Amino acid sequence: MVRSEDQRGNWRLGDRGVVGRGAVGVAGLLLAVGMLAGCADASTESGETTAPVESVEADATTAVPVESAPELTDEEALQIAVETYEEYLAISGELIDSQGDSFADLEAITTPNMSEGNQAALEQSTSGEFTTEGVIPVIKSELVQKTSSEIDILLCLDLSQSKTLDANGQQVGPDRTGLTNAVDVRVVNTDGAFKVDRSDQWTQSEFCSA
């Protein structure tokens, strides 16, 4: 397995005064307060067959082979998965700023397996009850396994630099001083793009302290 610490941890959304504000939104609320063809013989009514078998076989031999995608190295797979998840966090947080208007962007970076969490995020974003500030850096990442189309990783997120505020500007949830959260993440290659397919809290909390 490949382990990478302090990789791409501090991302920013544009040039706003609040660094990484968007990523706090859904992550802070959801994590800290509480992812063909067949063939048959053809003939005419007169009994005449269509193209001879020989010509069909000849055409098949001239087909251009499809090249498979090159296999990712462990380092490349880890980087892709971490960056995909960071993009997911940023887009998720944009829901707070747009009050749900950017929901299509969230669906575009996730698979249908994340639909339940996406809907919960949409409800929170459209409620108008929460605002966020701060940054959630990825402070540790580890590759669990990979195939040509799926990558599983573990992430440790630092929640201590983030806040979720209610409509009165009061912090929601417990004090986050020193608070980290381990997340089990899967990204899958769908139509040529990697998307988040799973994002679950990792119960073995020692991952963040190991």
Side-chain angles (χ1 to χ4, degrees), residues 39-169:
C39 60
D41 293 335
S43 62
T44 63
E45 293 181 358
S46 62
E48 295 177 357
T49 61
T50 56
V53 174
E54 289 80 9
S55 65
V56 175
E57 293 177 349
D59 291 340
T61 60
T62 59
V64 178
V66 177
E67 295 184 2
S68 59
E71 183 178 354
L72 295 172
T73 66
D74 288 352
E75 290 77 10
E76 290 170 337
L78 180 62
Q79 180 177 354
I80 287 173
V82 171
E83 291 181 349
T84 299
Y85 193 75
E86 287 179 334
E87 183 178 1
Y88 159 73
L89 287 178
I91 292 175
S92 297
E94 284 293 339
L95 249 61
I96 298 293
D97 295 335
S98 69
Q99 296 187 5
D101 289 345
S102 60
F103 184 64
D105 295 332
L106 181 61
E107 289 190 306
I109 193 67
T110 57
T111 71
N113 286 338
M114 296 288 290
S115 60
E116 183 176 348
N118 289 351
Q119 288 297 326
L122 179 62
E123 292 177 7
Q124 291 173 332
S125 300
T126 56
S127 69
E129 298 178 0
F130 304 103
T131 57
T132 62
E133 61 182 44
V135 59
I136 297 182
V138 174
I139 58 176
K140 184 178 180 182
S141 60
E142 181 176 297
L143 178 66
V144 177
Q145 63 180 6
K146 66 177 175 66
T147 67
S148 59
S149 59
E150 297 180 353
I151 306 172
D152 291 351
I153 62 172
L154 294 178
L155 294 178
C156 181
L157 307 178
D158 180 4
L159 302 181
S160 66
Q161 302 178 45
S162 66
K163 290 182 180 180
T164 300
L165 308 175
D166 61 21
N168 297 318

Side-chain angles (χ1 to χ4, degrees), residues 11-25:
W11 34 262
R12 297 169 182 266
L13 294 177
D15 296 322
R16 299 182 212 171
V18 178
V19 179
R21 177 185 174 191
V24 178

